[in-house]
PDB file of all heavy atoms in Angstrom:
ATOM      1  N   VAL A 275       9.496 -15.926  -1.484  1.00 90.00           N
ATOM      2  CA  VAL A 275       8.469 -16.939  -1.221  1.00 90.00           C
ATOM      3  C   VAL A 275       8.548 -18.060  -2.263  1.00 90.00           C
ATOM      4  O   VAL A 275       8.413 -19.242  -1.940  1.00 90.00           O
ATOM      5  CB  VAL A 275       7.062 -16.303  -1.230  1.00 90.00           C
ATOM      6  CG1 VAL A 275       5.978 -17.372  -1.158  1.00 90.00           C
ATOM      7  CG2 VAL A 275       6.922 -15.324  -0.079  1.00 90.00           C
ATOM      8  N   ALA A 276       8.772 -17.690  -3.519  1.00 93.00           N
ATOM      9  CA  ALA A 276       8.891 -18.688  -4.574  1.00 93.00           C
ATOM     10  C   ALA A 276      10.068 -19.617  -4.309  1.00 93.00           C
ATOM     11  O   ALA A 276       9.955 -20.844  -4.458  1.00 93.00           O
ATOM     12  CB  ALA A 276       9.049 -18.005  -5.933  1.00 93.00           C
ATOM     13  N   LEU A 277      11.196 -19.058  -3.899  1.00 93.00           N
ATOM     14  CA  LEU A 277      12.378 -19.871  -3.610  1.00 93.00           C
ATOM     15  C   LEU A 277      12.097 -20.861  -2.476  1.00 93.00           C
ATOM     16  O   LEU A 277      12.487 -22.037  -2.546  1.00 93.00           O
ATOM     17  CB  LEU A 277      13.557 -18.977  -3.225  1.00 93.00           C
ATOM     18  CG  LEU A 277      14.151 -18.078  -4.308  1.00 93.00           C
ATOM     19  CD1 LEU A 277      15.282 -17.236  -3.724  1.00 93.00           C
ATOM     20  CD2 LEU A 277      14.650 -18.901  -5.469  1.00 93.00           C
ATOM     21  N   GLU A 278      11.430 -20.395  -1.442  1.00 92.00           N
ATOM     22  CA  GLU A 278      11.154 -21.270  -0.298  1.00 92.00           C
ATOM     23  C   GLU A 278      10.164 -22.367  -0.681  1.00 92.00           C
ATOM     24  O   GLU A 278      10.274 -23.500  -0.218  1.00 92.00           O
ATOM     25  CB  GLU A 278      10.643 -20.437   0.876  1.00 92.00           C
ATOM     26  CG  GLU A 278      11.706 -19.497   1.428  1.00 92.00           C
ATOM     27  CD  GLU A 278      11.228 -18.660   2.598  1.00 92.00           C
ATOM     28  OE1 GLU A 278      10.010 -18.642   2.853  1.00 92.00           O
ATOM     29  OE2 GLU A 278      12.076 -18.014   3.246  1.00 92.00           O
ATOM     30  N   GLY A 279       9.198 -22.034  -1.524  1.00 94.00           N
ATOM     31  CA  GLY A 279       8.267 -23.055  -1.986  1.00 94.00           C
ATOM     32  C   GLY A 279       8.967 -24.116  -2.821  1.00 94.00           C
ATOM     33  O   GLY A 279       8.732 -25.320  -2.649  1.00 94.00           O
ATOM     34  N   LEU A 280       9.852 -23.691  -3.717  1.00 95.00           N
ATOM     35  CA  LEU A 280      10.588 -24.640  -4.564  1.00 95.00           C
ATOM     36  C   LEU A 280      11.544 -25.492  -3.725  1.00 95.00           C
ATOM     37  O   LEU A 280      11.747 -26.675  -4.025  1.00 95.00           O
ATOM     38  CB  LEU A 280      11.373 -23.888  -5.642  1.00 95.00           C
ATOM     39  CG  LEU A 280      10.537 -23.078  -6.648  1.00 95.00           C
ATOM     40  CD1 LEU A 280      11.448 -22.327  -7.594  1.00 95.00           C
ATOM     41  CD2 LEU A 280       9.592 -23.997  -7.422  1.00 95.00           C
ATOM     42  N   ALA A 281      12.137 -24.883  -2.690  1.00 94.00           N
ATOM     43  CA  ALA A 281      13.030 -25.636  -1.814  1.00 94.00           C
ATOM     44  C   ALA A 281      12.285 -26.728  -1.065  1.00 94.00           C
ATOM     45  O   ALA A 281      12.862 -27.756  -0.703  1.00 94.00           O
ATOM     46  CB  ALA A 281      13.711 -24.697  -0.823  1.00 94.00           C
ATOM     47  N   ASN A 282      10.993 -26.521  -0.832  1.00 92.00           N
ATOM     48  CA  ASN A 282      10.153 -27.527  -0.187  1.00 92.00           C
ATOM     49  C   ASN A 282       9.530 -28.488  -1.197  1.00 92.00           C
ATOM     50  O   ASN A 282       8.673 -29.291  -0.834  1.00 92.00           O
ATOM     51  CB  ASN A 282       9.035 -26.841   0.612  1.00 92.00           C
ATOM     52  CG  ASN A 282       9.401 -26.650   2.070  1.00 92.00           C
ATOM     53  OD1 ASN A 282       9.595 -27.616   2.791  1.00 92.00           O
ATOM     54  ND2 ASN A 282       9.514 -25.405   2.490  1.00 92.00           N
ATOM     55  N   LYS A 283       9.954 -28.343  -2.480  1.00 93.00           N
ATOM     56  CA  LYS A 283       9.484 -29.225  -3.560  1.00 93.00           C
ATOM     57  C   LYS A 283       7.966 -29.151  -3.737  1.00 93.00           C
ATOM     58  O   LYS A 283       7.282 -30.159  -3.939  1.00 93.00           O
ATOM     59  CB  LYS A 283       9.943 -30.668  -3.319  1.00 93.00           C
ATOM     60  CG  LYS A 283      11.457 -30.808  -3.233  1.00 93.00           C
ATOM     61  CD  LYS A 283      11.907 -32.246  -3.043  1.00 93.00           C
ATOM     62  CE  LYS A 283      13.427 -32.322  -2.924  1.00 93.00           C
ATOM     63  NZ  LYS A 283      13.909 -33.707  -2.733  1.00 93.00           N
ATOM     64  N   LYS A 284       7.457 -27.914  -3.646  1.00 94.00           N
ATOM     65  CA  LYS A 284       6.036 -27.663  -3.869  1.00 94.00           C
ATOM     66  C   LYS A 284       5.831 -27.050  -5.247  1.00 94.00           C
ATOM     67  O   LYS A 284       6.724 -26.356  -5.763  1.00 94.00           O
ATOM     68  CB  LYS A 284       5.502 -26.679  -2.825  1.00 94.00           C
ATOM     69  CG  LYS A 284       5.749 -27.058  -1.385  1.00 94.00           C
ATOM     70  CD  LYS A 284       4.889 -28.223  -0.960  1.00 94.00           C
ATOM     71  CE  LYS A 284       5.056 -28.493   0.540  1.00 94.00           C
ATOM     72  NZ  LYS A 284       4.211 -29.604   0.999  1.00 94.00           N
ATOM     73  N   PRO A 285       4.672 -27.252  -5.867  1.00 95.00           N
ATOM     74  CA  PRO A 285       4.346 -26.445  -7.048  1.00 95.00           C
ATOM     75  C   PRO A 285       4.209 -24.984  -6.617  1.00 95.00           C
ATOM     76  O   PRO A 285       3.572 -24.686  -5.606  1.00 95.00           O
ATOM     77  CB  PRO A 285       3.014 -27.022  -7.528  1.00 95.00           C
ATOM     78  CG  PRO A 285       2.440 -27.737  -6.353  1.00 95.00           C
ATOM     79  CD  PRO A 285       3.606 -28.220  -5.544  1.00 95.00           C
ATOM     80  N   VAL A 286       4.819 -24.078  -7.384  1.00 96.00           N
ATOM     81  CA  VAL A 286       4.832 -22.661  -7.031  1.00 96.00           C
ATOM     82  C   VAL A 286       4.254 -21.845  -8.175  1.00 96.00           C
ATOM     83  O   VAL A 286       4.714 -21.922  -9.308  1.00 96.00           O
ATOM     84  CB  VAL A 286       6.261 -22.181  -6.719  1.00 96.00           C
ATOM     85  CG1 VAL A 286       6.286 -20.661  -6.551  1.00 96.00           C
ATOM     86  CG2 VAL A 286       6.786 -22.854  -5.460  1.00 96.00           C
TER      87      VAL A 286
END
Side-chain angles (χ1 to χ4, degrees):
V275 172
L277 292 178
E278 293 180 349
L280 297 177
N282 265 296
K283 301 182 182 180
K284 306 288 186 179
V286 172

